[in-house]
C-alpha cells in the first residue's frame, strides 16, 4: 500500500490501538495533521504543548497504556521538555511525535528548528530522528515497545517535514528490531530463594513498595505478601494506591513528609523488602541512618537502580509481579504479633494529626474529599504542600488512583494530567487537588477542560502563597520570606466562570460541607477555591541531611 | 582504578553522543575513548577507559546497558588481554640529533613517517606504559606536537566479546 510517511504514522497509531492523541499543530506538523483529518483517532487540542504531554502522561498513568502526544518543531518541541522529563523520572510510557524542519534544512538554524533529539537525550528512554521515510513504521513499532516494556518511559520521534511527505510502501512490521534491548522479567531463582530465606529468618520485616508495583500490576501480590509474612507496608509517593489505604498493615508514605510510624518502622526493622522503589533521597534522608539495622532485599526491573544509592543484600532484577509470584509459594504464613504490636504502638504514639483550629485546614479539605468519594475517585495533584496533604490524608483504594508528579516535582502537571486521566476514564470521578502556585502554571488548560466537557472537579487549596517554599524558608532561612507571597490573585471563581466552568469559593468547614454535595452532583467541571489557613505546614518533616527517624512533628 | 570497557553499539548516528552524554551527565570520567566499525558494518565497537572504584564501574556498565543502542558491554581489563595505543610525535630534529632519535625509535620499534628540515614525525604503537616511555625518551629533544589514539583492546587466546549473548570460549 502506497502512503505518505505521515499517513503511515497515523495508520501505525491506529494499529497500536491509540484512541486519543494530545497535541497542538504547527507548520512542520501539517502533513501529520492532514493525515489525522481522515482518522478515527480522537485528537485533543490543548492550549500549550506542555499541556499535551502532561495530559498524555495522566492518560498513561490512569490506564497503564502508552500515552501519545504531538507538537510542531522548535518552540512546540521545547514546550514539551518539562513534560518529557517528568514522564522519564516517573517511568511513564509515552510516545511523543515532534515535527522537524525538512532534512535539507536540518542543521542550518532554520525557522522553528531545534535539535530536540539532542535536547531530550537525557530525558527520554530513547529517541529517533527519522531520516528515511521507509524506516518510520519500524521506528514506531520499536517506540511503542520500548515505551511500554521493561522500565517504562517516554520515547520521542522527531519527523522532518519532507520525510513526512515522502511516499512509502507501507506495511506495519510485526516484530521489533532492537538487538541491544532485552529487559529481564524473571528474577533469578537463586536470589529469590535467598530472599525467602531472609524473610523466614526476619523478626521485623517492612515492605517498602514503590511505583514499580503499579507499573507491574502487582498490587494483589503485594497484599498477599504482606498478609502472608505479617509485614507492614510503607509506600513511596509513586507507590501510593498500590496497597489499600485502609488495610491494617498499611503505614502510609515514608520519607521526608512520611508518617512518623512509617519512618520509625523502617528505622527499627531488621529486613527491608524494597519492591519497585529506588531509594530516592526524599525517601532515605541521610542514607547512613536509613534502615540501619536491616538487611535489604531489592526487587527492580531496572538493574541500574540496584546498588545505586544503597548497598543491598539480595538484589533481584525482574518484574516485581513475576518475582512475587515466584517468591510467594516459598513462604509460609507467619505470625509476627510482637512486631505488629510494636508497629501498632508506633501508630498510636505518633498519629498523623492536625489542628482544626484557625480557619479552613487543607488536611480537612482532603479528608472531606475522601469521605465524599469513599476513596473511589482518581485523584490528580500538582506539586507542593497540597500534594503532600493528599499523600498523607487521602486513603487510596485502587492502583492508579493517584496521579502525581513524583521524581521531577513539576508544578503545572496537575490540571492537564487530570484532563488526560478523565478522558481515559469517562465513567470515573477524577478530582484535581491543586495549589494556587501550581494551578496558574498551566491554567490555560481550563479551556481544554471546558471544550472536552469533562466532569473533573478541581479543589484549589489556596493560601495565597508558594506554600512549600514558604515552609522551607521558615525552617531554613529563619523566616525570611522571599518571593513566596502572592499579593495579587485573580478571582478564581470569576476566572472559572470566564471559562464556562462553575466555581465556588469556601473559607470554612461549614461552607465546604454545604457545597460538596452540589460539586459532586454537577455533571460538568467545577472549581472550588478553598481559602485555607495560610501558614499551615506539612508535618511531619525530616530536616535536611537528617535521618528519617529525626522528624519535626 | 582504571578499567577498559569494550562496548558494542549499533552503528547509528548519535550513538557516540548518547554514550559521551551519559558519562558527562552522571559525572563519570572517561580516560580515553576509541570508536570504529567492527567486521559487521551495522555494529561499532567503542573501547572506553574509565576511572573509578568498583561501585562507579558497576553503575557505568549498568547505565551503558540501559542505552537502547548499546548491544553489549564487557569489562575486559578483568581478563588477559592485549591493548594498544598509537602515537604520532613530531619532535625537533636538527641534523646532528637525528642519529640519536633514530636509535631511540629503534629501541621502541617506532617508525619515522616524516622528515622535515628541522623535525621528524615518529609513529609508535604499544600499550600505555610503552607509549609513555617513548614520549619521555623524546622529551629532551623537544616535542613539538603529539597526537595519540585512545586505547583499543582485545581478549587473548580464543576468547572474544561477540554479540551473540555472553562471552564465549572455543
Amino acid at each position: 500500500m502506497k502512503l505518505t510517511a505521515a499517513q503511515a504514522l497515523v495508520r501505525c497509531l491506529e494499529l497500536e490501538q491509540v484512541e486519543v492523541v494530545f497535541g497542538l499543530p504547527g507548520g512542520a506538523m501539517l502533513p501529520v495533521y492532514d493525515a489525522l483529518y481522515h482518522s478515527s483517532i480522537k485528537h485533543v487540542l490543548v492550549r500549550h504543548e506542555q499541556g499535551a504531554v502532561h495530559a498524555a502522561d495522566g492518560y498513561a498513568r490512569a490506564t497503564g497504556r502508552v500515552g501519545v502526544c504531538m507538537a510542531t518543531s522548535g518552540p512546540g518541541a521545547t514546550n514539551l521538555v518539562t513534560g518529557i522529563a517528568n514522564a522519564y523520572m516517573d517511568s511513564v510510557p509515552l510516545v511523543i511525535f515532534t515535527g522537524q524542519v525538512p532534512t535539507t534544512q536540518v542543521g542550518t538554524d532554520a525557522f522553528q528548528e531545534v535539535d530536540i533529539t539532542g535536547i531530550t537525550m537525557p530525558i527520554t528512554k530513547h529517541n529517533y530522528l527519522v531520516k528515511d521515510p521507509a524506516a518510520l513504521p519500524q521506528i514506531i513499532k520499536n517506540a511503542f515497545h520500548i515505551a511500554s516494556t521493561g522500565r517504562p518511559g517516554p520515547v520521542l520521534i522527531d519527523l522532518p517535514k519532507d520525510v513526512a511527505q515522502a511516499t512509502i510502501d507501507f506495511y506495519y512490521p510485526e516484530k521489533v528490531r532492537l538487538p541491544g534491548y532485552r529487559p529481564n522479567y524473571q528474577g533469578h531463582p537463586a536470589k529469590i530463594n535467598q530472599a525467602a530465606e531472609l524473610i523466614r529468618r526476619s523478626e521485623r520485616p517492612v515492605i517498602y513498595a514503590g511505583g514499580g508495583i503499579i507499573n507491574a500490576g502487582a498490587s494483589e501480590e503485594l497484599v498477599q505478601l504482606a498478609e502472608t509474612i505479617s509485614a507492614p507496608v510503607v509506600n513511596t509517593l509513586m507507590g501510593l494506591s498500590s496497597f489499600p489505604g485502609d488495610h491494617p498493615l498499611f503505614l502510609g508514605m515514608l520519607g521526608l513528609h512520611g508518617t512518623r510510624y512509617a519512618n520509625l518502622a523502617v528505622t527499627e526493622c531488621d529486613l527491608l523488602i524494597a519492591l519497585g522503589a529506588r531509594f530516592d533521597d526524599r525517601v532515605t534522608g541521610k542514607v547512613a541512618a536509613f534502615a540501619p539495622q536491616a538487611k535489604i532485599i531489592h526487587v527492580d526491573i531496572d538493574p541500574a537502580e540496584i546498588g545505586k544509592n544503597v548497598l543491598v543484600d539480595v538484589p533481584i532484577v525482574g518484574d516485581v509481579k513475576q518475582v512475587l509470584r515466584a517468591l510467594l509459594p516459598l513462604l509460609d504464613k507467619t505470625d509476627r504479633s510482637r512486631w505488629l504490636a510494636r508497629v501498632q504502638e508506633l501508630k498510636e504514639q505518633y498519629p498523623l494529626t492536625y489542628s482544626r483550629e484557625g480557619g479552613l485546614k487543607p488536611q480537612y479539605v482532603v479528608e472531606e474529599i475522601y469521605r465524599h468519594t469513599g476513596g473511589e475517585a482518581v485523584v490528580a495533584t500538582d506539586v507542593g504542600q497540597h500534594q503532600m496533604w493528599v499523600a498523607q490524608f487521602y486513603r487510596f483504594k485502587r492502583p492508579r488512583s493517584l496521579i502525581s508528579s513524583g521524581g521531577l516535582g513539576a508544578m503545572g502537571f496537575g490540571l492537564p494530567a487530570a484532563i488526560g486521566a478523565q478522558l481515559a476514564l469517562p465513567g470515573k470521578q477524577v478530582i484535581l487537588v491543586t495549589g494556587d502556585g501550581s494551578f496558574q502554571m498551566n491554567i490555560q488548560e481550563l479551556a481544554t477542560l471546558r471544550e472536552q466537557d469533562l466532569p473533573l472537579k478541581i479543589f484549589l487549596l489556596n493560601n495565597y502563597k508558594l506554600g512549600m517554599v514558604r515552609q522551607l524558608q521558615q525552617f531554613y532561612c529563619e523566616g525570611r520570606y522571599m518571593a513566596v507571597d502572592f499579593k495579587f490573585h485573580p478571582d478564581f471563581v470569576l476566572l472559572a466562570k470566564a471559562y464556562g466552568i462553575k466555581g465556588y469559593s469556601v473559607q470554612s468547614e461549614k461552607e465546604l460541607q454545604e457545597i460538596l454535595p452540589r460539586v459532586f452532583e454537577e455533571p460538568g467541571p467545577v472549581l472550588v477555591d478553598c481559602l485555607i489557613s495560610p501558614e499551615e505546614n506539612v508535618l511531619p518533616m525530616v530536616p535536611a541531611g537528617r535521618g528519617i527517624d529525626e522528624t519535626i512533628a | 582504578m582504571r578499567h577498559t570497557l569494550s562496548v558494542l553499539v549499533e552503528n547509528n548516528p548519535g550513538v557516540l553522543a548518547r554514550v559521551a552524554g551519559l558519562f558527562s551527565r552522571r559525572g563519570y570520567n572517561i580516560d580515553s575513548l576509541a570508536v570504529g566499525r567492527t567486521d559487521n558494518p551495522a555494529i561499532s565497537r567503542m573501547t572506553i577507559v574509565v576511572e573509578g572504584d568498583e561501585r562507579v564501574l558497576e553503575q557505568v556498565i549498568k547505565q551503558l546497558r540501559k542505552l537502547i543502542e548499546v548491544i553489549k558491554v564487557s569489562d575486559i581489563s578483568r581478563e588477559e588481554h592485549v591493548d594498544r595505543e598509537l602515537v604520532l610525535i613530531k619532535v625537533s630534529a636538527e641534523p646532528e640529533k637525528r642519529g640519536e632519535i633514530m636509535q631511540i625509535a629503534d629501541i621502541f620499534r617506532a617508525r619515522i613517517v616524516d622528515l622535515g628540515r628541522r623535525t621528524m614525525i615518529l609513529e609508535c604503537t604499544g600499550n600505555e606504559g610503552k607509549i609513555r616511555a617513548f614520549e619521555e625518551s623524546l622529551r629532551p629533544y623537544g616535542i613539538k606536537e603529539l597526537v595519540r589514539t585512545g586505547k583499543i583492546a582485545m581478549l587473548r587466546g580464543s576468547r572474544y566479546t561477540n554479540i551473540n549473548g555472553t562471552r564465549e570460549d572455543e
Side-chain angles (χ1 to χ4, degrees), chain A residues 122, chain B residues 18-31 49-53 55-57 59-60 63:
Chain B
R18 283 183 211 282
V19 171
L22 172 70
F23 276 79
S24 68
R25 189 159 72 242
R26 295 200 179 256
Y28 311 140
N29 287 322
I30 299 185
D31 259 29
V49 180
V50 58
E51 176 89 48
D53 59 21
R55 202 157 164 201
V56 168
L57 181 78
Q59 264 297 306
V60 168
Q63 292 293 344

Side-chain angles (χ1 to χ4, degrees), chain B residues 63-80:
Chain B
Q63 292 293 344
L64 280 170
R65 286 187 178 140
K66 269 178 84 165
L67 296 177
I68 305 289
E69 289 167 329
V70 167
I71 301 167
K72 189 168 162 63
V73 184
S74 324
D75 177 9
I76 69 173
S77 41
R78 288 176 192 280
E79 295 179 51
E80 285 296 311

Side-chain angles (χ1 to χ4, degrees), chain B residues 29-47:
Chain B
N29 287 322
I30 299 185
D31 259 29
S32 80
L33 178 134
V35 199
R37 251 174 33 192
T38 61
D39 51 324
N40 178 347
I43 294 169
S44 293
R45 184 187 298 275
M46 295 184 181
T47 308

